[in-house]
Amino acid sequence: MASITVASPANNIICFLADAEGRVLGPPLDLPQDAGPKELQLLLNTILQTEEKLPFAFYINDKELSSSLGAHLLQNKVSVEQILQIVYQPQAVFRIKPVTRCSATIAGHAEAVLSVAFSPDSRQLASGSGDTTVRFWDIYTQTPLFTCYGHKNWVLCIAWSPDCKQLVSGSKDGELRMWDPTTGKAVGNPLTGHRKWITGVAWEPAHLQVPCRRFASASKDGDVRIWDTVLQKSVLCLSGHTLAVTCVKWSGDGFIFSGSQDCTIKVWETTQGKLIRELKGHGHWVNTLALSTEYVLRTGPFDHTGKQYSSSEEMKKAALVRYTAAKHDSPERLVSGSDDFTMFLWEPATGKHSKARMTGHQQLVNHVYFSPDGRWVASASFDKSVKLWDGYSGKFITTFRGHVGPVYQISWSADSRLLVSGSKDSTMKMWDMKTLKLREDLPGHADEVFAVDWSPDGEKVASGGKDRVLKLWMS
Amino acid sequence: MPQGDHIDLARKRHGYRPDYFERKRKKDAREVHKRAAFAQKALGIKGKMFAKKRYAEKAIMKKTLAMHSERTNRHKADDQVQEGAVPSYLLDREQTARAKVLSNTIKQKRKEKAGKWEVPLPKVRPIAEDEMFRVLRTGKRKTKQWKRLVTKVTFVGPGFTRKPPKYERFIRPMGLRFTKAHVTHPELKCTFNLEIIGVKKNPNGPMYTSMGVITKGTVIEVNVSELGLVTPAGKVVWGKYAQVTNNPENDGCINGVLLV
C-alpha cells in the first residue's frame, strides 16, 4: 500500500470506492482530508494491481472531484456523517490533442458533400456527395485519390467495413455499390432490391466475422436488407416497419436494431431474420440510434496504436478483445433520438421497456452518439444545442450552447475527452468534457456543414457540407 | 304551345317511329361522305372557310388520339438528378431557405466610412423644416416661440433621459418613439420584427440623424441576432443596416428592407 502522509490526523474521512455500475471495491477506507485525485489514483492502481498507471476520474454524488477531498466536501456541502461513496471511472490512457486549424480545404465534388467517413485504421478517407460520386482522398498529401462514378443519384450514406477492405455506398435511387479503396474501382455489380432511397448502412462487427461479408441497409421503403458481399445479393429482407426506416445498427451480440418513422424500434436476429422485440415508446419518428459499443464495433481490431494485422484470425481475436473490454460485462445499451424532442435509453437484451427517458431538448433530436468508452451520450438537436447525458443511467449532465443554427452531426474523439459538432450555421465547435465548456471554434465553411468525422487515431477531423469542399482539421 | 314543338309532342304521345333509329344511323354514316364531297368540290371563299374549320378539327382530333395512345406507350424512367442535394436526415423535411453567409463586412465598413451605401431608395423627397417641426408657444402670455415639437417618428436609445424641460428646445413626444422595426430580408422575402439599435443616417440632414428622427429613406441599424447569421470567420452577426421604406408617422410602424 502506498503511504500517504497525514497532515491533520483528526480530520479523516471514511469512504469506499465503487465503480460506475455500483460494485464496491474492497472495505471502507479512512482517507485524510487533503487527499486529491492524484493520491486516489495511486491508491486505486495499487488496489487493482495494474501494471501501468491507468488514469481515473473520481465522482462524488455525480460531481467530479478536482481538488482535495476536504475542499470538495466543503464546497458542495456534503455531510461527513455517512460513509462517502466515491465512484471511479477509467479514462483513456492516450490523450488526443484538440484540433485547432483547418489544414486543408480540398475541392473536388461538384455538389454538396453528404457523408464523410474515415476508415477504421485512419489511413483512408471517403466521401459521398450529391453529384453521384464517391471520392477517396489521400490524408497525408491532402489531395484527391480516386473518383468513383457509377451511382445514378445522390450518394446518401457510406460505410467502411471494420477490416478496412471494402466501402459500401447507398444512393437516393435505392442502389448500393461496393468499392475497393486501394484501386478506387467498383467491386461487383450494384446491389438492387430496395425500392426507395437508402437511409443507413451498418456492417457486421469484425469480432463476429472476418473477412467482413455481411452488412445491413435501411431504406425509406420500410425494409432492412442484409446483403452478402461475396454472393453479391440480398440474403435476408427484414420487413415489418410500416414507414421509412431511418437508422440501422448491428450490435456486437449479433442483433440488428432498426429505428423507423412509425415510432418503433425493432430488434431482429440475423440468422433467420426473425423479429425478436419491438421497443415502443416514442411519440414521433425515431431519427437516430446509438449503441454503447458503437465506436468499438466501427473500428474493429484497430485502435490508437495504429497496429496493422496480417491475418484474419488475428484481426478477429483483436476485435473480440477490444469488444469485451469496452462492454465491461454489462449488457449493451441503446439510445434512440426522436422527433418528439425526447430520447429513450434501452437495454434491449434485458427487456422491452425503456430504462430512462431523456427530455430537455426543445426541438427534434437529429443525432445521438455514445462516447467511445460508453460513459456519456451526446445528442445534437435542431434547437441549436448539444446536450450531454450519463451513458449508464441517462441522467442529464450539461448543455453545450453556442451554435446559432440547428446542430446536424456530432463526433467524439477516440479518448472520449473531446466532442466536435457541425451545424447549419456553417461553423463547427469543439467541446471539452473535463471543463464541460467550449474548447475551440472551427469556422471556415461557407455553407451548412452536413457531415463530420473524427479519425479513430485522433489526428484529424474531416468535415463536408453544402459548399462542396472537404475540410481537414489538425492540431 | 310554341309552333315548332309538334315533333316532340308527337314523340311524347306516340313514341319514336319504328324505323327512326335505323334511318338515323344510316344518315349519319352518309354524312361523312357528304362532307368529304363538299370539301373536295367547294371553291372560292366557301372552300377556304371550310378548309380552315376542318384543319382546326383535325388538329384537336390528332391530339386526343395521341393522348389515348399514351396508355400503351412505355416511357424511360425519369433519371433526372435533382439539384440541392441534402443528406438522408433532411430528406423528408421541408426546410425554409436561409440567408447565405454575409457579404463582405470589410466592404461594408469601407462604405460606412465614405458615408455612401447602395440602398434600395437612393432618392427621397426632401422634408422641409416646417413640416418636420411644429412651433410650440410657451410662456405666461404664450409669446415665446423657441420650442419645437418633432412631428415625425423618432428613436431614442434605452438610456435616454430628457433635458430639463425649461431648457429643452426640441421635444420628441413619447407617442412617436418606436423601438422595433419590421424588416424584410430581400432574398428570403420574409419579414422579422427586430429591435432598432440606432439611427445611422437620415438623408434630410445630419441634425436629424443626431436627433434620431426616422423618416422614409433613413438608414437604421437593427439587431439581427435572431436570424442566426455567421461571418466567414465564424463570428455571430448581431447588427445590420436597414433602410426605412414607409412613412412611419402615417402608418404607426416602421417598415424597412435589410441591406445585405
Side-chain angles (χ1 to χ4, degrees):
Chain A
M1 194 86 136
S3 60
I4 302 170
T5 51
V6 174
S8 48
N11 303 340
N12 283 5
I13 302 165
I14 306 176
C15 47
F16 60 91
L17 294 166
D19 74 354
E21 266 102 55
R23 292 186 287 250
V24 178
L25 189 73
L29 308 161
D30 197 18
L31 294 175
Q33 237 189 36
D34 61 353
K38 280 203 212 73
E39 285 88 16
L40 282 172
Q41 256 186 41
L42 209 61
L43 190 64
L44 195 55
N45 273 314
T46 19
I47 296 177
L48 293 174
Q49 284 156 0
T50 53
E51 291 110 30
E52 334 153 346
K53 293 278 183 306
L54 295 173
F56 289 96
F58 298 93
Y59 295 88
I60 299 178
N61 292 340
D62 297 327
K63 275 214 158 63
E64 186 163 357
L65 177 67
S66 40
S67 51
S68 72
L69 264 180
H72 181 96
L73 296 183
L74 270 175
Q75 236 180 0
N76 301 334
K77 299 192 191 57
V78 181
S79 109
V80 291
E81 309 284 316
Q82 317 154 316
I83 300 181
L84 206 62
Q85 182 185 51
I86 304 181
V87 179
Y88 66 86
Q89 293 260 18
Q91 288 192 308
V93 180
F94 56 101
R95 181 173 280 276
I96 305 264
K97 284 195 285 236
V99 298
T100 47
R101 60 187 180 96
C102 177
S103 68
T105 302
I106 324 174
H109 277 298
E111 274 281 337
V113 178
L114 301 179
S115 53
V116 158
F118 274 100
S119 68
D121 61 357
S122 309
R123 281 167 182 229
Q124 292 157 307
L125 175 62
S127 66
S129 146
D131 64 355
T132 75
T133 60
V134 171
R135 284 174 204 248
F136 288 93
W137 311 86
D138 187 355
I139 304 179
Y140 305 107
T141 57
Q142 293 168 359
T143 50
L145 254 187
F146 304 113
T147 305
C148 312
Y149 297 99
H151 275 295
K152 294 203 181 51
N153 216 318
W154 310 340
V155 178
L156 290 173
C157 331
I158 54 175
W160 285 91
S161 66
D163 62 355
C164 303
K165 297 271 174 30
Q166 291 164 314
L167 177 82
V168 151
S169 58
S171 89
K172 189 161 187 283
D173 51 12
E175 261 184 10
L176 289 143
R177 279 169 198 261
M178 294 184 314
W179 310 94
D180 180 9
T182 46
T183 59
K185 299 234 182 311
V187 173
N189 289 333
L191 306 169
T192 49
H194 280 298
R195 292 181 304 278
K196 291 204 199 148
W197 65 76
I198 311 283
T199 51
V201 177
W203 279 89
E204 187 170 16
H207 65 88
L208 292 176
Q209 183 169 59
V210 165
C212 300
R213 260 181 87 159
R214 297 196 301 170
F215 64 90
S217 66
S219 158
K220 173 147 169 76
D221 59 8
D223 299 334
V224 174
R225 279 177 189 263
I226 303 184
W227 307 83
D228 189 317
T229 56
V230 169
L231 300 173
Q232 297 261 318
K233 67 186 188 81
S234 161
V235 287
L236 278 173
C237 176
L238 316 170
S239 29
H241 281 296
T242 48
L243 288 174
V245 183
T246 50
C247 191
V248 68
K249 294 270 179 244
W250 202 314
S251 84
D253 305 334
F255 299 126
I256 291 187
F257 299 102
S258 60
S260 155
Q261 280 178 2
D262 62 5
C263 318
T264 60
I265 303 166
K266 290 196 198 286
V267 186
W268 312 84
E269 60 98 36
T270 52
T271 47
Q272 295 216 321
K274 289 215 191 87
L275 174 66
I276 301 177
R277 218 168 249 142
E278 194 172 334
L279 307 175
K280 289 199 234 209
H282 276 298
H284 209 310
W285 300 356
V286 176
N287 284 332
T288 171
L289 296 171
L291 283 170
S292 52
T293 49
E294 196 178 333
Y295 197 83
V296 168
L297 296 175
R298 175 201 158 184
T299 47
F302 303 101
D303 62 4
H304 65 280
T305 56
K307 182 169 172 210
Q308 291 287 306
Y309 302 92
S310 43
S311 78
S312 328
E313 289 85 38
E314 261 187 57
M315 274 203 227
K316 196 165 173 179
K317 247 189 262 171
L320 189 61
V321 160
R322 286 193 78 217
Y323 175 65
T324 40
K327 215 172 149 218
H328 297 300
D329 290 334
S330 48
E332 268 186 355
R333 282 153 283 132
L334 173 76
V335 165
S336 58
S338 154
D339 256 24
D340 65 0
F341 308 172
T342 64
M343 294 147 39
F344 277 109
L345 178 73
W346 314 86
E347 239 172 53
T350 48
K352 67 172 185 173
H353 291 290
S354 58
K355 284 267 164 313
R357 184 162 200 181
M358 299 137 86
T359 58
H361 274 298
Q362 283 146 343
Q363 272 288 316
L364 62 96
V365 179
N366 199 42
H367 194 202
V368 286
Y369 208 153
F370 261 94
S371 68
D373 56 5
R375 277 167 76 185
W376 287 304
V377 188
S379 61
S381 154
F382 277 20
D383 69 356
K384 312 176 197 169
S385 70
V386 174
K387 284 192 195 279
L388 191 70
W389 315 79
D390 181 61
Y392 298 107
S393 58
K395 253 176 42 166
F396 172 70
I397 297 180
T398 181
T399 306
F400 297 119
R401 291 192 204 279
H403 280 295
V404 292
V407 187
Y408 282 156
Q409 298 255 298
I410 44 185
S411 184
W412 287 91
S413 69
D415 64 348
S416 313
R417 289 195 184 100
L418 297 165
L419 174 70
V420 72
S421 60
S423 145
K424 188 177 176 186
D425 66 3
S426 78
T427 59
M428 295 196 335
K429 293 195 194 286
M430 191 178 351
W431 314 93
D432 192 331
M433 292 305 121
K434 192 108 179 39
T435 57
L436 296 179
K437 283 204 175 35
L438 176 69
R439 181 71 184 263
E440 199 79 42
D441 238 311
L442 303 169
H445 270 289
D447 211 337
E448 310 181 17
V449 178
F450 284 147
V452 178
D453 196 19
W454 206 315
S455 70
D457 63 358
E459 298 277 311
K460 295 185 173 44
V461 174
S463 64
K466 207 164 168 191
D467 57 353
R468 311 192 296 268
V469 296
L470 197 79
K471 279 189 185 276
L472 276 175
W473 310 80
M474 280 170 61
S475 51
Chain B
M1 188 184 85
Q3 280 183 325
D5 282 352
H6 57 89
I7 300 175
D8 292 321
L9 190 62
R11 281 204 189 133
K12 239 187 359 190
R13 283 180 182 159
H14 312 297
Y16 283 101
R17 285 172 70 139
D19 54 358
Y20 169 72
F21 292 104
E22 195 182 334
R23 283 179 70 215
K24 187 171 179 9
R25 181 178 61 82
K26 287 180 96 128
K27 189 170 186 193
D28 287 338
R30 281 193 301 267
E31 275 305 319
V32 184
H33 297 285
K34 273 197 179 171
R35 249 181 132 219
F38 180 79
Q40 286 172 21
K41 276 202 273 180
L43 298 165
I45 188 74
K46 236 189 205 173
K48 280 201 186 134
M49 279 166 58
F50 185 79
K52 190 170 178 195
K53 253 193 249 168
R54 203 159 159 77
Y55 180 74
E57 266 171 45
K58 254 194 173 168
I60 295 172
M61 178 93 73
K62 273 196 164 168
K63 275 198 194 133
T64 43
L65 280 174
M67 265 171 38
H68 282 299
S69 67
E70 279 285 301
R71 214 213 246 151
T72 49
N73 280 6
R74 283 180 307 162
H75 288 282
K76 191 169 144 199
D78 206 13
D79 288 338
Q80 293 299 325
V81 178
Q82 288 163 318
E83 279 208 5
V86 277
S88 55
Y89 49 82
L90 290 177
L91 267 175
D92 274 331
R93 300 186 194 282
E94 281 172 19
Q95 298 256 302
T96 50
R98 75 180 242 301
K100 284 283 187 66
V101 177
L102 299 184
S103 37
N104 212 328
T105 43
I106 301 175
K107 269 195 207 158
Q108 218 177 33
K109 280 206 187 113
R110 242 186 258 144
K111 279 190 201 154
E112 219 180 286
K113 277 201 196 142
K116 292 195 182 84
W117 290 276
E118 273 172 31
V119 284
L121 300 176
K123 280 201 182 50
V124 284
R125 184 178 72 85
I127 299 179
E129 204 180 307
D130 48 358
E131 192 185 332
M132 184 77 82
F133 300 122
R134 198 186 316 149
V135 179
L136 211 59
R137 284 171 169 262
T138 51
K140 198 171 185 187
R141 307 277 174 255
K142 299 275 187 274
T143 48
K144 298 185 190 232
Q145 293 183 41
W146 54 275
K147 279 190 185 245
R148 298 282 181 275
L149 182 78
V150 179
T151 58
K152 306 283 181 197
V153 160
T154 56
F155 171 76
V156 294
F160 173 72
T161 30
R162 291 167 58 189
K163 273 165 83 158
K166 189 170 178 191
Y167 303 106
E168 214 179 6
R169 197 190 303 183
F170 295 104
I171 298 175
R172 279 162 272 194
M174 278 176 70
L176 287 177
R177 290 187 205 159
F178 286 92
T179 48
K180 287 197 168 200
H182 304 294
V183 178
T184 307
H185 194 289
E187 280 151 35
L188 296 180
K189 304 264 186 281
C190 51
T191 314
F192 305 96
N193 195 11
L194 304 173
E195 264 185 35
I196 305 175
I197 300 172
V199 173
K200 184 67 189 174
K201 190 166 172 59
N202 191 313
N204 298 111
M207 178 173 74
Y208 303 125
T209 310
S210 58
M211 266 207 283
V213 173
I214 299 182
T215 54
K216 184 168 181 175
T218 312
V219 175
I220 56 175
E221 194 175 357
V222 285
N223 185 339
V224 292
S225 49
E226 65 175 54
L227 295 183
L229 302 171
V230 174
T231 61
K235 299 217 169 32
V236 180
V237 179
W238 69 281
K240 269 184 100 51
Y241 293 123
Q243 192 183 31
V244 177
T245 51
N246 72 331
N247 289 314
E249 67 275 4
N250 297 337
D251 300 327
C253 61
I254 306 177
N255 296 339
V257 149
L258 202 63
L259 303 176
V260 280

